[in-house]
Amino acid sequence: MEYEEPKFFHVMQYAAAADGDVIDMVSGNPDWEPPAALREALRGYADLPPDDFQYPPSEGLLELREAIAERRSVDVDRVVVTNGTGEANYLAMARAFERDAGDEAVLTDPVYPYYPGKVDMLGGESTFVPTERDGGLDVAAIREAASADTALIVLNTPNNPTGAVYDLDAVRDVVAVADDVDALVAVDEVYDHFDLTGEFESALTLESDRVIVTSGFSKSMAITGFRVGYGVFPDEHVGDAKTRHMLVNVAGARPSQYAVHHALAETPPEYYAEARELLAKRADAFTDALDAAGAEYSRPEGAFYVLARFEGFPGTMANVKRLVDEAGVAGMPGEAFGDARDEWIRFALVTPRTVEAAERLADYFADGAPEATEAPTDSR
């Protein structure tokens, strides 16, 4: 089976090769400091005895799993520490398909591109259901799309790329749909610390044996390179998830897990609150400039992305490259996230140059959409 290179890498490579100064609003790498306790733990780790440089337990360090279980109010045996939230999503999807309950995955549109990519890799078929205009769940549409062949429904809240925070009652209704068709619901909550509404509630509170919740620390602790995620699986599915994790990875990285455990214990709530406040200010500044540019946009309720639509300038790969070359701002084409927002462009707010990027966009679109030109050649 052949796999297409993710469009994220293509845009980042194009921007990196640009002649002028380009502000990166593609990647989701937080630009703020990780917790001080995490740095301290890493320094201390270097002096630990040789035994601590060997394999950790395959399902993750017990003390880290216990801390996750306490935070999530679940039994520790349900927690599997993974190589990033991406692996946790892979384990959840694999478990859904290997039950002989069908090969269809129902995904929301717009969608984080790695979800359908994983479905394809696992031999499943993706069915896309557009969200509401504000990014909220269209439960009726999900119910209509689901069938006896549906093995999996994937949700992401707070959402990438829409910024929507799903109402728990809507998630509950989706779980009821899954119950009707014998599907599992994988709920990716990796942005839970970036709820800007104060209304986010975890799907784990539903206490359903249909729900697998995935999350991690890449975003919340600004450590995307550490690759520490986790999945919380129902009792009947956790054993199979642990086995697949062991066969694919053997185990995760011990130093990363050690440092995250210490940071969880010692990082005050103010650390996360300051990150949310920073992102809220950036969202204000960025959307103010989008107003000046005459753009339509979705203001994020959570996560740290803004979807924007510029009249007469659809979110194609060609137009994204034009923004790189002519405005010095790199975003992601809406077409990368499905069909429902293919005229839009996604911008990540995790750069200290957010205001500067917004001003560049406002200037670029000040007199309306630029005249159409041929797509730039990719000679770099």
Side-chain angles (χ1 to χ4, degrees), residues 74 78 92 95-96 99 101 151-153 171-172 174-187 203-213 232-240:
V74 298
R78 293 177 57 191
R95 185 66 202 121
R99 298 173 305 123
L152 170 69
I153 302 173
V171 177
R172 180 183 289 108
V174 171
V175 174
V177 172
D179 195 49
D180 290 340
V181 299
D182 189 21
L184 297 184
V185 183
V187 187
L204 287 172
T205 63
L206 300 176
E207 298 183 350
S208 170
D209 60 5
R210 295 276 175 191
V211 171
I212 300 170
V213 165
V232 180
F233 293 81
D235 291 330
E236 67 180 288
H237 300 301
V238 68
D240 292 285

Side-chain angles (χ1 to χ4, degrees), residues 91-245:
L91 295 178
M93 293 178 180
R95 185 66 202 121
F97 289 129
E98 65 191 5
R99 298 173 305 123
D100 293 324
D103 62 3
E104 179 189 56
V106 173
L107 309 175
T108 59
D109 184 358
V111 64
Y112 177 55
Y114 282 38
Y115 299 155
K118 286 183 171 67
V119 170
D120 182 56
M121 181 177 68
L122 289 164
E125 296 288 336
S126 295
T127 295
F128 298 95
V129 178
T131 61
E132 300 284 4
R133 189 62 171 172
D134 63 359
L137 291 173
D138 186 338
V139 177
I142 291 174
R143 183 178 294 111
E144 183 177 355
S147 69
D149 197 42
T150 303
L152 170 69
I153 302 173
V154 181
L155 306 179
N156 171 214
T157 178
N159 185 264
N160 173 14
T162 68
V165 174
Y166 295 160
D167 179 80
L168 186 63
D169 287 337
V171 177
R172 180 183 289 108
D173 290 342
V174 171
V175 174
V177 172
D179 195 49
D180 290 340
V181 299
D182 189 21
L184 297 184
V185 183
V187 187
D188 183 345
E189 298 180 354
V190 72
Y191 295 101
D192 63 347
H193 274 292
F194 303 107
D195 167 32
L196 305 180
T197 67
E199 297 177 359
F200 170 82
E201 295 180 81
S202 173
L204 287 172
T205 63
L206 300 176
E207 298 183 350
S208 170
D209 60 5
R210 295 276 175 191
V211 171
I212 300 170
V213 165
T214 64
S215 192
F217 306 97
S218 289
K219 312 297 186 179
S220 61
M221 291 187 180
I223 51 169
T224 57
F226 276 51
R227 312 314 302 140
V228 182
Y230 63 89
V232 180
F233 293 81
D235 291 330
E236 67 180 288
H237 300 301
V238 68
D240 292 285
K242 288 179 180 179
T243 298
R244 183 178 285 264
H245 168 71

Side-chain angles (χ1 to χ4, degrees), residues 41-42 44-45 48 61 63 253-263:
L42 284 176
Y45 192 89
L48 293 179
L61 292 177
E63 54 267 35
R254 193 171 198 136
S256 298
Q257 295 181 43
Y258 176 91
V260 165
H261 169 248
H262 281 268

